[in-house]
Amino acid sequence: MMFLPSKKDLKTALEVFAVFQWPLSVFIIGECSAFVTTVIFVNLYLVVFTSYWPVTVLILAWLAYDWKTPERGGRRVKCMRNWYLWKLYCVFFPLRLLKTHDISPGHNYILVCHPHGLLSHSWFGHFATNDLLFSKIFPGITPHILTLGAFFWVPFLRDYVMSSGACSVSQSSMDFLLTHRSAGNMLIVVVGGLAECRYSLPGSTTLVLKNRTGFVRIALQHGVPLIPAYAFGEVDLYNQHIFTPGGLVNRFQEWFQSMVHIYPCAFYGRGFTENSWGLLPYAHPVTTIVGKPLPLPKIENPSQETVAKYHALYVDALRKLFDQHKTKFGISETQELVIV
């Protein structure tokens, strides 16, 4: 008799597929320079040696015409944010999104997310999809997840990324969203960035935040509140091998980060089967707590001292949020946030 998978096995397989596509997209972007070079040579081949040159011309013409869209609010596709695939994605871990205060749709906000983790799985599930019912948790609020400009360099992939509501994290993009759109916009910024990957270890509470002040400056320039958010469990989704400090591999990691601001990590998780090794995240619960908005005055040209003052207030608000909830998620009362 032919073996037929059970409904449970099929559901598990679909959950794994849903999660797999996100790291796959990230790895494509991680190899973006090589990928873009390949795309360029393929298109040159089509133009010079085949009769399919009109395809290349149309793609490049569209890319040139649409180049600024990621900095002009993007192009979200509501039906794609509501895909059943994303529901499976969120169930895999599972992910949970909780708020501590109501957010008025009469204002714009910058939601500052911590920690980055290795692949920011929770932030993608929370804000690039609607399967955690973001629209019901925060009625009247439109999330705009901000990410690296490299995500928008590749034809077709850029449209897929923008369909989730993602935009460029550049200052011009943030300025546009905060000035050329009506109220109710929430800009999602993961400020630790790729530099924080080196600290993404199970049980770690280290954040790259000490010198990250750009988000505070932009919030002051537009007079919008900052909202701290912490994802408990994000750093537990992968293991990471730590090389000997000062050793050859570690020196290469430090050099690479100094050159391209990306820390190459030797991380691993599970494979396509539960007990195998691979690059899928572990099925570990992640709960994100969204804190109280921190109001900021509008100052068009804030001084460095002013930025530092409100940065310190933000860090205090983040620490308070973390301390209020940490013991609920297996973190000891004595463990504190480490800001580097």
Side-chain angles (χ1 to χ4, degrees):
M1 182 179 294
M2 184 181 296
F3 173 75
L4 294 176
S6 65
K7 288 185 178 180
K8 181 179 179 181
D9 291 337
L10 183 59
K11 181 175 180 291
T12 300
L14 289 173
E15 288 176 8
V16 170
F17 171 75
V19 173
F20 175 70
Q21 60 79 37
W22 172 237
L24 178 62
S25 299
V26 172
F27 287 131
I28 289 175
I29 297 305
E31 300 295 331
C32 197
S33 58
F35 189 78
V36 170
T37 301
T38 302
V39 170
I40 291 173
F41 277 107
V42 168
N43 280 283
L44 284 175
Y45 175 81
L46 293 177
V47 170
V48 176
F49 298 106
T50 76
S51 59
Y52 296 106
W53 61 267
V55 175
T56 296
V57 171
L58 287 173
I59 290 175
L60 294 179
W62 170 250
L63 193 62
Y65 172 78
D66 198 52
W67 189 254
K68 287 291 186 180
T69 299
E71 297 186 352
R72 297 295 180 269
R75 185 169 49 247
R76 73 176 56 226
V77 179
K78 184 177 180 180
C79 64
M80 291 184 69
R81 285 178 54 86
N82 292 325
W83 276 354
Y84 179 68
L85 184 72
W86 305 139
K87 181 178 180 64
L88 296 174
Y89 178 97
C90 296
V91 167
F92 173 87
F93 298 94
L95 303 180
R96 295 178 66 208
L97 179 63
L98 303 176
K99 66 178 180 180
T100 60
H101 293 77
D102 289 332
I103 307 296
S104 169
H107 304 280
N108 292 322
Y109 304 89
I110 296 178
L111 181 73
V112 192
C113 305
H114 311 274
H116 179 279
L118 281 160
L119 296 180
S120 296
H121 280 288
S122 58
W123 309 120
F124 176 81
H126 293 324
F127 305 115
T129 80
N130 195 38
D131 280 293
L132 287 174
L133 300 177
F134 177 93
S135 58
K136 290 187 177 181
I137 298 173
F138 298 104
I141 301 295
T142 302
H144 301 272
I145 190 165
L146 305 184
T147 187
L148 295 174
F151 274 93
F152 309 105
W153 293 353
V154 183
F156 305 116
L157 180 61
R158 70 196 301 272
D159 299 285
Y160 172 65
V161 173
M162 280 194 289
S163 70
S164 68
C167 301
S168 172
V169 75
S170 67
Q171 180 169 345
S172 62
S173 174
M174 298 179 75
D175 288 339
F176 181 89
L177 291 169
L178 294 173
T179 57
H180 291 79
R181 293 289 180 91
S182 57
N185 293 293
M186 180 183 284
L187 280 58
I188 316 298
V189 183
V190 189
V191 298
L194 294 173
E196 207 167 74
C197 290
R198 67 185 301 172
Y199 304 108
S200 187
L201 299 162
S204 171
T205 56
T206 299
L207 304 179
V208 176
L209 182 58
K210 185 177 181 179
N211 297 317
R212 300 294 174 103
T213 60
F215 70 98
V216 179
R217 182 176 297 276
I218 291 176
L220 285 168
Q221 289 172 342
H222 294 277
V224 298
L226 293 172
I227 305 177
Y230 195 93
F232 291 92
E234 177 68 39
V235 296
D236 300 321
L237 299 181
Y238 290 97
N239 287 313
Q240 184 177 163
H241 181 75
I242 303 300
F243 295 95
T244 304
L248 180 62
V249 177
N250 180 250
R251 290 203 304 269
F252 168 78
Q253 291 175 308
E254 300 288 350
W255 171 82
F256 192 88
Q257 184 180 31
S258 69
M259 295 296 292
V260 298
H261 305 291
I262 297 174
Y263 190 82
C265 301
F267 68 93
Y268 59 93
R270 57 164 285 184
F272 288 103
T273 57
E274 188 172 353
N275 296 318
S276 62
W277 179 94
L279 295 178
L280 287 172
Y282 295 114
H284 184 90
V286 182
T287 301
T288 296
I289 308 295
V290 177
K292 180 180 179 180
L294 174 67
L296 270 66
K298 184 174 182 178
I299 306 173
E300 291 187 5
N301 295 297
S303 65
Q304 188 59 41
E305 291 75 15
T306 300
V307 172
K309 170 187 173 182
Y310 286 99
H311 182 271
L313 290 175
Y314 171 79
V315 171
D316 288 342
L318 175 63
R319 288 187 186 277
K320 182 178 179 181
L321 177 72
F322 176 81
D323 290 339
Q324 285 178 338
H325 299 278
K326 61 185 178 182
T327 56
K328 302 173 187 176
F329 303 100
I331 300 175
S332 69
E333 184 68 41
T334 57
Q335 189 168 354
E336 299 182 350
L337 282 181
V338 179
I339 307 297
V340 298

